[in-house]
Amino acid sequence: MSEKLTIDNYLDSHYIHRSNWLRAAVLGANDGIISISSLAIGVATASDSRSPILLATVAGLVAGALSMAAGEYVSVSSQTDIEKSDIEREAQELRESPEAELRILAEIYQKRGLKKETALQVAKELTEHDVLAAHVRDELGVNEISQANPIQAAFASGAAFTAGGVLPLLVTLFAPVAYMEYFLYGFTIVALIILGTVSAKTGGSSVPKAILRIVVWGTIAMLLSALVGYLFGVKV
C-alpha cells in the first residue's frame, strides 16, 4: 500500500496527466475571450448604439460555446475511435503472431537502451503480466494519461468558452458605447493575462511566455476585427 501511495504521489507532482482537460479548457477560455471580444469590437466600431453590439455578443457566445463543445467532442471521439481500432488490430496480431510481436516489443526496449538479452527478458515478463497492455503502451504509445475523454473534453471546452465569453458580454452591458472598443480591449488584455498565468501555473510552464503568447495573438485578433469595423464604416 505504501508503495502505491508513493507512486501516486510521484505522479501527482507532474503535470502531464492534466494535459487533455487543460488543453481543452485553455483553448475554450482563450477562444471565448478573444472571439467574443473581437466580435464585439468589430460591431462597436461600426455602431452608435448598444443593441446591435449586445445582440452580436450574445449570439456569438451561445453559438461559440455550442460549437466548441461539439467540435471538441467530435475531435476527441475520432481520436478515441482510432485508438480503439489500433488496439483491436494489435490484439488480433498478438493472437495470430505472438512470437513476432514479442520480438517487436523486445526491439523497442533495445532501441531505448537495453541490452538485447535484457530487452528480451523485459518483453517476456511484461507479456506474462499483461501482453496487450504492454504492446498498447510501448508499441502504440497509448496509455491512460494520453487517452482523452470526449465528454470531459467537450464539457471543459464549452464551459471554458462560456466563462471566457462572459467578460466581454459584461463589458457590452455596462461600458459607455462611445468608448466600447477601448473598454473591451483593456478588459480583454487583463483577462488574457489572468488566463495565461493560471494555465501556466496549472501546467507547470513558464508564466511570462504563456502571457506573452496569449496577449500577442489576442491583440492581433482584436485589432484586425476593429479594422474590419472601420473599413465597413456603416453606422447601425
Side-chain angles (χ1 to χ4, degrees), residues 33 167 183-197 215 222:
I33 294 170
L167 175 67
F183 277 95
L184 283 165
Y185 177 76
F187 278 99
T188 298
I189 291 300
V190 172
L192 290 176
I193 291 174
I194 295 173
L195 175 62
T197 302
V215 168
M222 288 184 287

Side-chain angles (χ1 to χ4, degrees), residues 23-95:
R23 177 193 63 83
V26 171
L27 176 61
N30 179 70
D31 198 19
I33 294 170
I34 294 177
S35 62
I36 301 303
S37 292
S38 298
L39 176 63
I41 288 173
V43 177
T45 54
S47 176
D48 288 329
S49 62
R50 189 182 305 275
S51 296
I53 305 173
L54 186 58
L55 177 61
T57 303
V58 172
L61 180 58
V62 174
L66 294 176
S67 176
M68 285 292 292
E72 194 70 25
Y73 181 83
V74 171
S75 175
V76 175
S77 294
S78 298
Q79 175 187 336
T80 303
D81 289 343
I82 293 173
E83 291 175 351
K84 288 181 179 178
S85 177
D86 277 344
I87 292 173
E88 291 174 0
R89 188 179 299 109
E90 187 64 28
Q92 181 179 351
E93 292 173 352
L94 287 169
R95 290 192 296 268

